[in-house]
Amino acid sequence: MPDEPKTLDPAVRPATATATPPGTTATATPSGATATAGDSPVPARAHRWTLGLVTVGLVLAALNLRPAITSLGALLEEVSEGLHMSGSVAGVLTSVPPLCFAVFGITAPRLARRFGPVAVVCAGMAAIFTGLLLRPFAGGTAGFLAASALALMGIAVSNVLMPVIVKRYFPDRVGSMTGLYSMALALGTSLAAAATVPMTDALGGDWRVGLGVWAAVAALAVLPWIPLLRDRPDSGRTGERATTDPSAGTRAPVTGTDSATPAEAAAPPRVTRSRTAWALGCFFGLQATGAYITMGWMPQIFRDAGVPASTAGVLLAVTMVMGVPLAFVIPRLATRMRNQGPIVVALGLCGLGGYTGLFLAPAAGAWAWALLLGVSNCAFPLALTMIGMRSRTGAGVVRLSAFAQSVGYLISIPGPLLVGVLYQHSGGWGLPIALMGGLMVPQMIVGTLAGRDRTVEDEC
């Protein structure tokens, strides 16, 4: 069974013969498709060192896609006190990541078309480094939020373009390379959650130093992409009819496939008319709400229950590290099933169990609740897999992905802020945890609707 979802981009499927217009030079793409020189795909025999450099770049980039968030969650109490933040303002701070992902992530396809995905990822890594370097030394809340937004902007565009880089350089190893950077992402997430507090204590106890250390890791992530900057797609026109993948920055020849005609590929579906697309966007948003509430507030919930700060960080790390093995298992299982609803319900029930435990006995069963919530948070790779399965064409997948993620991140923005407001005004975690658990019910409903065996083309 293939690692990746059943629906693939036509640019990476085995191609049928295509005619090369007079006056152009034909080259072979890694997928075997015929392309003109103006298309400028990655050469079929890319240098081994180039592929090695891209692999290192992907791993280092993925390691830096979450520490800006989880390192702050581990030190949120110290940061709030140091900057004199109220609970509501701290809630705004935990809402910044999904806001930046919604606003800046949608610009990634256009930036990739203009500058090339490699250049945009390199700039994204530089933005992460700059933001993480500046924010610990901001003089107030506004400066801290601005520096955080800069880092999150880099994360947003890089996060969107990681699959594009994989498809471009490793078209025959999409599943294994996606698994590699997914594992690195989960590892970076959990490492920042577990190590930030002990590292801060070892460096003198100043939260500014503890947060600033992660800028050094981000600096390393910039280096592998610099030699690759010369590898830019050519925007020149060719005589070959092509479809444009907005997220890839390259023009892919239209090829015949068993699932989509060239006409279908040239006319992607209007996903806003699809009930499945809306259900998938809502599912993505609700699972993102739970994930960002967890990353922003879970350590504080445990600390208020009497769990030591260092242990609270490790508990968050346990929750995050569950994504390492399950990121491999869940997508493969989902592609073997015609309807992904049962997986959605199983993950939702784990979330309900975890939140119920946090409500009744947060300290006594802390490790069990962390594990259950870690399983529940693996709705993220499931959502990405369903995006690939709910459209028949590559162009449809691109539109569905952009729509579902934009809608989803917009939906997720109020969640962390509302948790902060409820916590401040109620004086405890009862109401916020009840809200978190209650959101699992609509998540299971819309996820079940999104998991039905149909495509957006059937509904448009």
Side-chain angles (χ1 to χ4, degrees), residues 159-232:
N159 198 41
V160 170
L161 294 177
M162 288 291 101
V164 177
I165 298 292
V166 168
K167 184 178 292 186
R168 186 178 184 204
Y169 286 91
F170 305 96
D172 55 342
R173 288 184 283 163
V174 171
S176 59
M177 294 304 297
T178 300
L180 178 64
Y181 87 75
S182 296
M183 181 180 67
L185 191 152
L187 183 62
T189 304
S190 56
L191 182 63
T196 297
V197 171
M199 193 163 50
T200 301
D201 293 340
L203 294 174
D206 188 346
W207 63 265
R208 299 179 185 272
V209 178
L211 290 183
V213 166
W214 295 104
V217 183
L220 294 177
V222 180
L223 302 180
W225 299 100
I226 295 176
L228 296 167
L229 288 175
R230 63 183 181 180
D231 183 25
R232 287 186 54 187

Side-chain angles (χ1 to χ4, degrees), residues 246 266-271 387 391 393-405:
R270 299 181 64 179
V271 294
I387 287 173
S391 179
T393 66
V397 170
V398 169
R399 285 202 172 186
L400 179 58
S401 178
F403 175 80
Q405 294 197 47

Side-chain angles (χ1 to χ4, degrees), residues 43-448:
R45 296 182 179 179
H47 293 295
R48 188 182 299 271
W49 73 268
T50 301
L51 297 182
L53 201 59
V54 173
T55 302
V56 173
L58 283 170
V59 171
L60 289 177
L63 282 171
N64 284 277
L65 291 180
R66 293 297 181 270
I69 303 169
T70 53
S71 62
L72 177 59
L75 291 173
L76 186 59
E77 181 176 320
E78 288 78 3
V79 173
S80 298
E81 292 177 355
L83 297 178
H84 308 291
M85 294 182 185
S86 65
S88 298
V89 174
V92 170
L93 186 60
T94 58
S95 295
V96 169
L99 174 62
C100 289
F101 288 175
V103 172
F104 297 115
I106 202 169
T107 67
R110 180 173 296 181
L111 291 172
R113 286 198 302 270
R114 176 66 178 85
F115 301 104
V118 169
V120 177
V121 171
C122 183
M125 293 298 108
I128 295 171
F129 162 68
T130 305
L132 293 183
L133 182 65
L134 293 178
R135 78 173 181 178
F137 307 104
T141 301
F144 191 91
L145 286 172
S148 296
L150 176 61
L152 292 166
M153 177 178 66
I155 294 172
V157 296
S158 301
N159 198 41
V160 170
L161 294 177
M162 288 291 101
V164 177
I165 298 292
V166 168
K167 184 178 292 186
R168 186 178 184 204
Y169 286 91
F170 305 96
D172 55 342
R173 288 184 283 163
V174 171
S176 59
M177 294 304 297
T178 300
L180 178 64
Y181 87 75
S182 296
M183 181 180 67
L185 191 152
L187 183 62
T189 304
S190 56
L191 182 63
T196 297
V197 171
M199 193 163 50
T200 301
D201 293 340
L203 294 174
D206 188 346
W207 63 265
R208 299 179 185 272
V209 178
L211 290 183
V213 166
W214 295 104
V217 183
L220 294 177
V222 180
L223 302 180
W225 299 100
I226 295 176
L228 296 167
L229 288 175
R230 63 183 181 180
D231 183 25
R232 287 186 54 187
D234 190 353
S235 59
R237 296 175 62 87
T238 70
E240 180 177 351
R241 185 167 58 87
T243 62
T244 301
D245 181 346
S247 65
T250 60
R251 291 175 59 83
V254 174
T255 61
T257 70
D258 57 356
S259 62
T261 65
E264 288 174 329
R270 299 181 64 179
V271 294
T272 54
R273 296 180 177 180
S274 168
R275 294 181 180 179
T276 297
W278 281 103
L280 192 50
C282 291
F283 176 63
F284 195 97
L286 289 170
Q287 66 81 26
T289 299
Y292 287 109
I293 289 175
T294 298
M295 285 188 282
W297 289 109
M298 197 174 81
Q300 192 63 49
I301 294 174
F302 284 126
R303 291 178 69 171
D304 287 350
V307 176
S310 58
T311 304
V314 174
L315 287 166
L316 177 59
V318 168
T319 299
M320 297 296 106
V321 83
M322 291 298 295
V324 176
L326 293 180
F328 288 98
V329 174
I330 290 177
R332 293 186 181 188
L333 179 61
T335 56
R336 288 180 167 89
M337 302 173 65
R338 296 180 65 86
N339 188 321
Q340 291 75 47
I343 305 179
V344 171
V345 173
L347 296 179
L349 291 176
C350 287
L352 279 175
Y355 288 126
T356 301
L358 279 180
F359 186 89
L360 297 176
W367 296 100
W369 318 144
L371 286 171
L372 284 172
L373 292 174
V375 174
S376 177
N377 281 347
C378 289
F380 175 69
L382 176 61
L384 294 181
T385 303
M386 289 198 293
I387 287 173
M389 298 178 70
R390 296 286 87 88
S391 179
R392 290 195 298 267
T393 66
V397 170
V398 169
R399 285 202 172 186
L400 179 58
S401 178
F403 175 80
Q405 294 197 47
S406 296
V407 169
Y409 283 126
L410 286 172
I411 290 173
S412 70
I413 291 171
L417 173 60
L418 184 56
V419 166
V421 172
L422 290 176
Y423 173 59
Q424 180 178 5
H425 290 283
S426 68
W429 285 107
L431 279 178
I433 292 174
L435 170 67
M436 299 177 209
L439 290 176
M440 299 307 302
V441 176
Q443 178 177 316
M444 287 189 283
I445 293 172
V446 295
T448 301

